[in-house]
Amino acid sequence: MSTRGVVVRVPAKINLQLAVGPLGSDGFHEVTSVFQAISLFDDVTLKFAPDNSGIKLTLSGPTSNGVPVDDENLAVRAAKLMADKFDLSTDLAIHLKKEIPVAGGMAGGSADAAGIIVAMDALFEIGLSRDEMEIIAAQLGSDVPFGISGGIAIGRGRGDQLTPALTRGNYHWVLALSGQGLSTPAVYQECDRLREGLDVASPLVSDPMMQALRAGDATALGLALSNDLQAAACSLRPALRLVLDVGKDYGALGGIVSGSGPTVAFLVEDEEKSMDLTVALSSSGVVAGVVRASGPVHGARVIQSI
Ligand code: ATP
């Protein structure tokens, strides 16, 4: 029997480093980002649907509240892009089981778009390489290619020109979630406002970061975490400073706002420490939820054929 549908599992990302260059004349910033894919996933199910039914999107999962189900959804946009490119039917049923926080700086929407590209490739037996899928992904948004590659990678340009990084080690993270998301464009605007009149350097990957990753040294990685958007995210959401303080007081190896926030990611030594910090954060009253995860993990891949 031929395949009627596929399920693709796709990870969230955190930025171990996010260096943001000056605002360009095109309104965008050149960035350099070190991404790590972590074990917090959305599951994207794609099935053939009856003729002329069009694309139908349904949602479930703890973070699906308020996510759009129309063309605003990046998964729908990814399906349409793939259909256009390869002349495929858009009679499709998409289901997103969401665990990745929405507007949390963890690229949840981008992950779903990456999941759809992999799912369309499998369902229609297109046979694209990972590199080809990443090129298509870049048309949908700067974080989408990394959803396909996973692992640890350096992103340049708008973050979408990826180079995989050779690294060692498995890292334990505790994620402090916020009840309300932050808009990525608003955080970039605030970053520009805070840096007005300052000389902003071109964004470069930090040497201590790459040394830490090559050595698999979690302590050194904790010290090397950096995010040029953190001040802006904290300025828009001052409570994030309290969250960062809880992790620091507890003795996390490092803590950082992920991407444009408001999720805060804490690096800890091991599973036991991650349990302890989870309890400390949960009882602090300054976070809406706590999730434990580890990384790096694979990018989007088919976990089931239906
Ligand atoms: P990034 O880290 O890439 O800046 P983010 O994690 O902060 O992204 P997303 O979770 O991708 O943000 O959501 C940003 C907005 O995109 C949401 O407010 C939502 O309205 C919209 N959106 C579109 N498609 C999706 C999707 N599949 N899942 C979640 N949000 C989506």
Side-chain angles (χ1 to χ4, degrees), residues 251-291:
L253 298 175
I256 195 170
V257 170
S258 179
S260 54
T263 304
V264 177
F266 293 105
L267 181 63
V268 291
E269 278 121 311
D270 52 32
E271 194 76 12
E272 199 183 321
K273 289 267 184 339
S274 97
M275 302 267 247
D276 292 347
L277 179 55
T278 300
V279 173
L281 283 165
S282 303
S283 54
S284 70
V286 294
V287 301
V290 187
V291 172

Side-chain angles (χ1 to χ4, degrees), residues 13 67-68 72-74 96 98 101-110 112 143 184 260:
K13 62 85 182 163
V67 172
E72 287 279 292
N73 196 297
L74 267 175
L96 304 178
K98 290 198 65 75
V102 176
M106 305 195 77
S110 302
D112 299 339
D143 285 344
T184 304
S260 54

Side-chain angles (χ1 to χ4, degrees), residues 97-233:
K97 182 162 154 283
K98 290 198 65 75
E99 301 263 350
I100 304 175
V102 176
M106 305 195 77
S110 302
D112 299 339
I116 286 288
I117 293 173
V118 171
M120 295 279 277
D121 178 67
L123 191 64
F124 290 95
E125 298 175 355
I126 306 173
L128 294 171
S129 67
R130 289 259 147 184
D131 283 352
E132 287 167 330
M133 288 194 254
E134 284 176 28
I135 290 168
I136 297 170
Q139 296 178 34
L140 290 157
S142 47
D143 285 344
V144 186
F146 183 69
I148 290 173
S149 83
I152 296 183
I154 298 164
R156 294 192 174 83
R158 287 179 190 173
D160 55 338
Q161 296 156 23
L162 291 182
T163 317
L166 277 181
T167 65
R168 285 209 186 98
N170 183 42
Y171 301 93
H172 299 273
W173 297 95
V174 179
L175 307 169
L177 311 185
S178 285
Q180 218 192 345
L182 270 176
S183 143
T184 304
V187 175
Y188 271 95
Q189 263 171 33
E190 180 66 359
C191 175
D192 291 336
R193 194 186 69 80
L194 293 175
R195 303 199 302 195
E196 215 172 316
L198 299 178
D199 248 349
V200 178
S202 284
L204 294 175
V205 182
S206 99
D207 284 341
M209 161 74 55
M210 294 319 291
Q211 279 160 13
L213 287 171
R214 274 194 292 269
D217 182 340
T219 305
L221 180 63
L223 294 171
L225 297 172
S226 74
N227 178 2
D228 285 353
L229 292 180
Q230 182 155 314

Side-chain angles (χ1 to χ4, degrees), residues 14-151:
I14 47 184
N15 302 83
L16 306 177
Q17 187 197 349
L18 180 55
V20 179
L23 179 64
S25 52
D26 58 358
F28 283 90
H29 299 81
E30 189 191 343
V31 303
T32 295
S33 178
V34 182
F35 295 108
Q36 180 174 136
I38 58 164
S39 62
L40 175 63
F41 304 99
D42 281 358
D43 283 349
V44 176
T45 303
L46 180 71
K47 288 186 198 161
F48 290 121
D51 284 351
N52 303 317
S53 57
I55 298 180
K56 288 271 177 316
L57 174 70
T58 52
L59 298 166
S60 66
T63 61
S64 60
N65 247 354
V67 172
V69 290
D70 56 11
D71 283 13
E72 287 279 292
N73 196 297
L74 267 175
V76 174
R77 287 176 37 209
K80 288 194 167 165
L81 180 68
M82 288 292 284
D84 264 7
K85 262 193 198 306
F86 299 102
D87 198 19
L88 309 171
S89 164
T90 51
D91 295 325
L92 296 166
I94 298 173
H95 182 77
L96 304 178
K97 182 162 154 283
K98 290 198 65 75
E99 301 263 350
I100 304 175
V102 176
M106 305 195 77
S110 302
D112 299 339
I116 286 288
I117 293 173
V118 171
M120 295 279 277
D121 178 67
L123 191 64
F124 290 95
E125 298 175 355
I126 306 173
L128 294 171
S129 67
R130 289 259 147 184
D131 283 352
E132 287 167 330
M133 288 194 254
E134 284 176 28
I135 290 168
I136 297 170
Q139 296 178 34
L140 290 157
S142 47
D143 285 344
V144 186
F146 183 69
I148 290 173
S149 83

